[in-house]
Amino acid sequence: MKLSAYTAMTTALALVACGQSPGTASSETATQQAAALPASCEDHPLLPAMPEPVPMGGKAVTAINCEAYSVEMIWGEAGESTSIILVDSQGPLGDVPVGMEQMAEMGRSLPLQAATTALQMTEGVAEMAKAAPASLEELGGPDFLSTVKESNGLRYSIEVEAKDAGGKVGTLIGTIRNRYALTMNIEQDNLVGLAAGEAAYAPLLNAMKISELP
């Protein structure tokens, strides 16, 4: 089952949390050197848990955006990019303009709420499908069923369409210790089936250092 509504909500709220749009970079940045961190990212408490700002999967880092309670990293150009957004629902709000406090609070708390709801729905659908072989077969089998997994404090699921809908892999949505919301997205049209999605996202998950979170 594809939870596109929740993906859109989570990603949009996380981008609001980051407060910046993706930047671009020339092909000359595709080196093995780490990208320079913007001033807003210096000593950021979430950065130690993020991957090193170096090329991944042949893609150079094209944007690093930091707000008081969130960090976003983007590799590659629009249309074929890879991104990671980490939001701390208990992080500081930072300097908020007068009258924008409620908006800032929503940007900080809603990504976790949306991710938690998405995982609960995924878990429920997976349980029903596994209990009804005909339903699972209708989806295309286990490789076209989104499931929830746990690893080192991270609960996550990778969206995947039903086989007859194309079977494309979507966004990885996760929560950490009921505090952090994690969103990963790989723009790649030929990713089909859960196994392919797990293989594609594995390097990103392995590059995360969740134990370094506050």
Side-chain angles (χ1 to χ4, degrees):
M1 178 178 181
K2 189 176 182 182
L3 304 175
S4 56
Y6 285 96
T7 297
M9 180 190 300
T10 304
T11 303
L13 289 170
L15 287 171
V16 168
C18 287
Q20 299 184 36
S21 58
T24 59
S26 70
S27 60
E28 293 178 356
T29 62
T31 69
Q32 293 304 310
Q33 297 180 350
L37 291 174
S40 60
C41 291
E42 292 182 6
D43 299 320
H44 198 289
L46 299 183
L47 268 181
M50 296 288 283
E52 295 297 324
V54 299
M56 292 183 65
K59 302 175 184 177
V61 176
T62 49
I64 304 174
N65 302 317
C66 296
E67 292 297 321
Y69 50 84
S70 64
V71 173
E72 174 189 33
M73 283 188 179
I74 301 173
W75 291 260
E77 306 296 341
E80 54 182 26
S81 68
T82 295
S83 63
I84 299 177
I85 302 173
L86 182 63
V87 181
D88 183 359
S89 67
Q90 299 177 24
L93 287 178
D95 297 328
V96 180
V98 176
M100 297 295 289
E101 294 85 359
Q102 186 174 4
M103 179 71 73
E105 173 57 34
M106 289 177 61
R108 182 178 67 173
S109 62
L110 287 184
L112 177 62
Q113 295 174 23
T116 299
T117 300
L119 292 177
Q120 291 172 343
M121 289 185 63
T122 297
E123 211 162 33
V125 170
E127 289 176 359
M128 289 188 293
K130 291 176 181 178
S135 297
L136 185 56
E137 184 177 350
E138 184 177 348
L139 290 172
D143 198 39
F144 299 93
L145 174 67
S146 299
T147 58
V148 176
K149 294 191 173 183
E150 297 192 30
S151 176
N152 299 322
L154 168 66
R155 298 185 77 246
Y156 69 94
S157 68
I158 299 172
E159 293 180 329
V160 60
E161 296 176 326
K163 186 175 183 179
D164 62 4
K168 289 185 178 180
V169 173
T171 302
L172 181 150
I173 297 174
T175 63
I176 304 167
R177 303 204 304 265
N178 295 317
R179 172 174 173 174
Y180 305 92
L182 177 67
T183 304
M184 296 181 173
N185 190 62
I186 299 175
E187 293 185 293
Q188 186 175 325
D189 289 339
N190 63 352
L191 276 182
V192 175
L194 185 59
E198 291 176 339
Y201 281 108
L204 302 181
L205 291 171
N206 292 336
M208 296 289 295
K209 301 176 287 291
I210 291 174
S211 62
E212 298 295 326
L213 284 170

